[in-house]
Amino acid sequence: TIQTRNAYAFEDLQVGMEASYARAVTEADIVGFAELSGDKNPVHLDHIYAAKTMFKERIAHGMLTAGYISAVFGMEMPGPGAIYVSQTLNFKAPVRIGDMVEASVEVVELVEKGRRVKLACRCRVGDTLVLEGEAMVKVKSEGTGGSSVWPRATASWPSAGVRQPPRARRRLSQARITRDGSPSPSPSSS
């Protein structure tokens, strides 16, 4: 099944907006990431080696966990067309095969110059914070093709969502307000 996904334009975003994505880490994810990245550290792939480490068992690659943050940016908020500019990451605890990781991001600052958005990033397994950091992404403006529609397969995007602060709850399909305060024409009236 294909659905359309709206991207947020810079003007749509507000401080406090949040989005998240959850995924259970599988054996196939770890092996696949090792192949794609070239990181074949035995702590990720060899249960005998990993048993002798402080973790006592195999763990997921930290960058695999961080990749879930990228999934939020690219598919939920800001959405298709967002460009990663920078990211800090602090790994707090290991992620193991079978763990359900929830990646969440929150808009903490909007920088008008360059249409950049600073976001707080966190990954949790249950109540345990496993990763935190901060990212900067570049977002399209309404005048440069923001709020574009992007098809996606729903089967490949489990447990995702965007939460807006109460003052920001509105649908992107509603009429927009231009910089001078007048309503802009809705897409259906063009």
Side-chain angles (χ1 to χ4, degrees):
T1 303
I2 300 292
Q3 284 186 334
T4 56
R5 164 86 51 226
N6 284 331
Y8 286 84
F10 182 82
E11 294 81 4
D12 297 321
L13 297 169
Q14 292 187 22
V15 171
M17 289 176 71
E18 297 177 335
S20 63
Y21 167 71
R23 180 178 172 93
V25 176
T26 67
E27 165 83 17
D29 293 337
I30 293 172
V31 171
F33 189 86
E35 285 298 316
L36 288 171
S37 69
D39 180 355
K40 297 180 181 178
N41 183 332
V43 75
H44 306 303
L45 301 172
D46 182 337
H47 71 278
I48 295 169
Y49 177 90
K52 298 173 189 170
T53 69
M54 64 186 208
F55 303 113
K56 304 296 182 211
E57 63 185 310
R58 291 171 51 206
I59 60 170
H61 299 77
M63 294 308 290
L64 172 62
T65 303
Y68 301 148
I69 294 168
S70 179
V72 178
F73 293 153
M75 297 305 296
E76 288 299 324
M77 184 183 76
I83 304 298
Y84 238 129
V85 175
S86 65
Q87 174 80 59
T88 61
L89 299 170
N90 297 302
F91 298 97
K92 302 291 190 177
V95 173
R96 294 173 167 82
I97 296 170
D99 282 351
M100 177 64 73
V101 176
E102 181 182 13
S104 62
V105 303
E106 179 183 356
V107 175
V108 295
E109 184 180 354
L110 297 167
V111 182
E112 187 90 26
K113 184 178 180 182
R115 296 176 318 278
R116 295 174 189 248
V117 182
K118 185 185 286 186
L119 299 111
C121 308
R122 293 174 195 85
C123 291
R124 294 183 183 281
V125 172
D127 292 333
T128 302
L129 181 66
V130 297
L131 180 155
E132 68 180 349
E134 192 171 81
M136 185 72 77
V137 296
K138 186 173 176 71
V139 182
K140 291 180 180 181
S141 177
E142 287 180 333
T144 61
S147 298
S148 60
V149 176
W150 188 265
R152 69 166 176 88
T154 55
S156 65
W157 193 246
S159 303
V162 174
R163 204 178 86 210
Q164 298 176 335
R167 69 182 185 284
R169 294 190 199 280
R170 63 183 172 90
R171 299 179 66 72
L172 289 177
S173 60
Q174 295 174 335
R176 300 187 189 283
I177 304 300
T178 62
R179 292 204 186 274
D180 68 1
S182 63
S184 65
S186 68
S188 59
S189 65
S190 0

XYZ file of all heavy atoms in Angstrom, residues 46-91:
352
model
N 29.833 -11.712 16.881
C 30.343 -12.976 17.421
C 29.927 -13.131 18.883
O 30.450 -12.444 19.765
C 31.871 -12.982 17.295
C 32.525 -14.267 17.770
O 31.923 -15.004 18.575
O 33.666 -14.516 17.346
N 29.000 -14.052 19.141
C 28.465 -14.199 20.503
C 29.527 -14.692 21.491
O 29.495 -14.335 22.665
C 27.223 -15.084 20.523
C 27.477 -16.534 20.275
N 27.618 -17.050 19.010
C 27.634 -17.566 21.137
C 27.850 -18.342 19.097
N 27.870 -18.685 20.374
N 30.490 -15.481 21.034
C 31.553 -15.959 21.935
C 32.456 -14.790 22.343
O 32.762 -14.607 23.529
C 32.364 -17.102 21.281
C 31.448 -18.312 21.077
C 33.590 -17.453 22.117
C 32.055 -19.406 20.218
N 32.856 -13.990 21.372
C 33.664 -12.806 21.669
C 32.874 -11.848 22.578
O 33.397 -11.368 23.590
C 34.068 -12.098 20.368
C 34.835 -10.820 20.611
C 36.218 -10.843 20.713
C 34.182 -9.607 20.765
C 36.933 -9.680 20.948
C 34.875 -8.437 21.003
C 36.250 -8.476 21.095
O 36.949 -7.326 21.348
N 31.642 -11.551 22.214
C 30.830 -10.588 22.966
C 30.608 -11.035 24.413
O 30.532 -10.198 25.321
C 29.499 -10.366 22.263
N 30.513 -12.333 24.654
C 30.307 -12.853 26.011
C 31.456 -12.481 26.943
O 31.266 -12.405 28.163
C 30.132 -14.369 25.973
N 32.627 -12.215 26.388
C 33.799 -11.864 27.194
C 33.936 -10.350 27.413
O 34.869 -9.912 28.083
C 35.064 -12.390 26.517
C 35.090 -13.909 26.393
C 36.278 -14.360 25.578
C 36.169 -15.855 25.275
N 37.158 -16.295 24.297
N 33.018 -9.577 26.860
C 33.084 -8.121 27.002
C 32.233 -7.677 28.186
O 31.510 -8.476 28.786
C 32.563 -7.410 25.735
O 31.149 -7.620 25.624
C 33.286 -7.897 24.482
N 32.290 -6.390 28.496
C 31.481 -5.843 29.581
C 29.980 -5.961 29.295
O 29.172 -5.905 30.208
C 31.844 -4.384 29.849
C 31.560 -3.426 28.725
S 32.215 -1.805 29.149
C 31.124 -0.773 28.220
N 29.593 -6.181 28.025
C 28.183 -6.285 27.659
C 27.630 -7.695 27.849
O 26.426 -7.889 27.920
C 27.977 -5.829 26.211
C 28.467 -4.433 25.971
C 29.554 -4.192 25.144
C 27.858 -3.351 26.580
C 30.022 -2.906 24.919
C 28.307 -2.062 26.365
C 29.395 -1.842 25.544
N 28.513 -8.703 27.853
C 28.174 -10.120 28.078
C 27.378 -10.756 26.945
O 27.052 -11.931 27.000
C 27.417 -10.324 29.396
C 28.145 -9.794 30.603
C 29.429 -10.541 30.828
C 30.136 -10.038 32.072
N 31.575 -10.142 31.977
N 27.020 -9.971 25.944
C 26.312 -10.487 24.769
C 26.482 -9.505 23.624
O 26.957 -8.390 23.822
C 24.830 -10.719 25.075
C 24.071 -9.461 25.438
C 22.636 -9.736 25.841
O 21.929 -10.452 25.104
O 22.224 -9.223 26.886
N 26.084 -9.925 22.433
C 26.202 -9.066 21.256
C 25.346 -7.814 21.428
O 24.278 -7.851 22.036
C 25.762 -9.826 20.010
C 26.730 -10.936 19.641
C 26.196 -11.820 18.537
N 25.756 -11.025 17.406
C 24.822 -11.436 16.554
N 24.234 -12.610 16.701
N 24.483 -10.687 15.545
N 25.838 -6.728 20.879
C 25.083 -5.473 20.909
C 24.970 -4.915 19.493
O 25.762 -5.244 18.610
C 25.743 -4.427 21.836
C 27.164 -4.092 21.370
C 25.712 -4.905 23.290
C 27.787 -2.906 22.095
N 23.977 -4.072 19.302
C 23.783 -3.401 18.013
C 24.830 -2.310 17.843
O 25.346 -1.762 18.824
C 22.384 -2.798 17.938
N 25.136 -1.980 16.618
C 26.012 -0.860 16.301
C 25.341 0.431 16.802
O 24.143 0.631 16.586
C 26.197 -0.724 14.789
C 26.809 -1.913 14.128
N 26.096 -3.070 13.868
C 28.059 -2.105 13.655
C 26.901 -3.929 13.262
N 28.091 -3.376 13.121
N 26.131 1.301 17.411
C 25.586 2.583 17.845
C 25.019 3.389 16.689
O 23.987 4.043 16.806
N 25.682 3.308 15.536
C 25.211 4.084 14.387
C 23.937 3.509 13.779
O 23.184 4.242 13.131
C 26.312 4.212 13.338
C 27.499 5.048 13.818
S 27.057 6.670 14.494
C 26.535 7.495 13.007
N 23.667 2.233 14.001
C 22.380 1.679 13.587
C 21.273 2.353 14.397
O 20.269 2.807 13.840
C 22.348 0.158 13.800
C 20.993 -0.522 13.576
C 20.517 -0.357 12.142
C 21.080 -1.992 13.943
N 21.479 2.443 15.700
C 20.508 3.128 16.558
C 20.354 4.581 16.130
O 19.241 5.092 16.004
C 20.957 3.040 18.032
O 21.108 1.669 18.393
C 19.955 3.709 18.959
N 21.465 5.266 15.871
C 21.415 6.666 15.438
C 20.687 6.803 14.111
O 20.048 7.826 13.847
C 22.826 7.234 15.333
N 20.755 5.774 13.275
C 20.059 5.816 11.989
C 18.556 5.963 12.125
O 17.894 6.496 11.227
N 18.010 5.528 13.239
C 16.563 5.680 13.450
C 16.182 7.150 13.588
O 15.068 7.547 13.247
C 16.095 4.870 14.658
C 16.376 3.377 14.538
C 16.657 2.625 15.668
C 16.357 2.728 13.314
C 16.914 1.258 15.575
C 16.621 1.368 13.208
C 16.889 0.640 14.342
O 17.148 -0.702 14.243
N 17.114 7.971 14.077
C 16.870 9.414 14.130
C 16.759 9.958 12.708
O 15.872 10.742 12.395
C 17.989 10.120 14.914
C 17.953 9.695 16.389
C 17.874 11.647 14.785
C 19.177 10.111 17.179
N 17.647 9.510 11.833
C 17.592 9.916 10.436
C 16.256 9.535 9.807
O 15.694 10.287 9.009
C 18.751 9.273 9.667
O 18.721 9.632 8.316
N 15.743 8.371 10.191
C 14.441 7.935 9.674
C 13.328 8.907 10.076
O 12.444 9.211 9.281
C 14.124 6.524 10.174
N 13.382 9.410 11.303
C 12.378 10.391 11.739
C 12.476 11.644 10.878
O 11.478 12.135 10.357
C 12.531 10.753 13.238
C 11.502 11.820 13.638
C 12.371 9.530 14.132
N 13.705 12.150 10.703
C 13.883 13.374 9.911
C 13.413 13.198 8.473
O 12.747 14.064 7.918
C 15.349 13.811 9.888
C 15.897 14.257 11.207
C 17.243 14.150 11.461
C 15.078 14.774 12.191
C 17.769 14.564 12.673
C 15.585 15.176 13.416
C 16.944 15.078 13.652
N 13.769 12.096 7.865
C 13.467 11.895 6.447
C 12.036 11.523 6.149
O 11.548 11.791 5.054
N 11.351 10.915 7.119
C 10.007 10.409 6.827
C 8.890 11.051 7.645
O 7.741 11.004 7.249
C 9.973 8.894 7.040
C 10.900 8.139 6.097
S 10.611 8.488 4.341
C 8.965 7.841 4.144
N 9.198 11.614 8.793
C 8.145 12.162 9.651
C 8.230 13.673 9.823
O 7.313 14.384 9.499
C 8.179 11.486 11.032
C 7.697 10.056 11.015
C 6.259 9.901 10.563
O 5.414 10.769 10.886
O 5.976 8.911 9.885
N 9.310 14.148 10.398
C 9.439 15.569 10.670
C 10.909 15.949 10.658
O 11.680 15.360 11.415
C 8.820 15.927 12.035
C 8.834 17.416 12.331
S 8.185 17.817 13.960
C 9.563 17.327 15.014
N 11.296 16.853 9.827
C 10.529 17.623 8.863
C 9.949 16.816 7.690
O 8.993 17.229 7.072
C 11.510 18.654 8.353
C 12.568 18.751 9.388
C 12.646 17.387 9.985
N 10.518 15.678 7.364
C 9.959 14.837 6.306
C 10.776 14.891 5.039
O 11.890 15.424 5.013
N 10.227 14.309 3.964
C 10.956 14.247 2.694
C 11.491 15.613 2.272
O 10.786 16.611 2.334
C 9.899 13.735 1.711
C 8.977 12.932 2.572
C 8.908 13.676 3.879
N 12.755 15.627 1.879
C 13.401 16.854 1.445
C 14.265 17.504 2.511
O 15.071 18.371 2.201
N 14.123 17.090 3.774
C 14.961 17.642 4.840
C 16.406 17.191 4.616
O 16.652 16.062 4.221
C 14.469 17.167 6.205
N 17.342 18.082 4.880
C 18.755 17.786 4.671
C 19.492 17.879 6.009
O 19.476 18.909 6.669
C 19.390 18.789 3.672
C 18.633 18.797 2.344
C 20.874 18.487 3.474
C 18.628 17.481 1.605
N 20.135 16.778 6.371
C 20.950 16.721 7.586
C 22.134 17.677 7.432
O 22.851 17.626 6.441
C 21.529 15.315 7.721
C 21.209 14.562 8.977
C 20.693 13.273 8.895
C 21.473 15.083 10.235
C 20.436 12.524 10.033
C 21.213 14.349 11.376
C 20.700 13.071 11.278
O 20.452 12.348 12.396
N 22.383 18.535 8.418
C 23.531 19.434 8.398
C 24.563 18.984 9.429
O 25.755 18.921 9.143
C 23.093 20.893 8.657
C 24.291 21.822 8.749
C 22.131 21.362 7.571
N 24.112 18.670 10.645
C 25.039 18.218 11.686
C 24.301 17.395 12.731
O 23.070 17.454 12.824
C 25.736 19.409 12.354
O 24.786 20.200 13.055
N 25.093 16.639 13.522
C 24.516 15.782 14.563
C 25.561 15.526 15.638
O 26.710 15.227 15.313
C 24.086 14.435 13.953
C 23.604 13.399 14.943
C 22.174 13.604 15.386
O 21.287 13.605 14.544
N 21.960 13.792 16.671
N 25.179 15.647 16.898
C 26.013 15.177 17.995
C 25.331 13.941 18.566
O 24.101 13.837 18.550
C 26.188 16.216 19.119
O 24.902 16.519 19.673
C 26.840 17.489 18.593
N 26.120 12.992 19.039
C 25.582 11.754 19.593
C 26.332 11.405 20.869
O 27.557 11.438 20.894
C 25.751 10.595 18.596
C 25.058 10.730 17.248
C 25.523 9.628 16.305
C 23.549 10.692 17.421
N 25.599 11.058 21.900
C 26.166 10.560 23.147
C 25.492 9.226 23.435
O 24.285 9.178 23.701
C 25.912 11.542 24.291
C 26.587 12.874 24.052
O 27.793 12.929 23.895
N 25.803 13.936 23.999
N 26.272 8.156 23.370
C 25.749 6.813 23.598
C 25.750 6.537 25.094
O 26.777 6.647 25.756
C 26.579 5.784 22.830
C 26.527 6.023 21.342
C 27.534 6.726 20.703
C 25.450 5.578 20.594
C 27.484 6.966 19.336
C 25.388 5.815 19.228
C 26.399 6.511 18.596
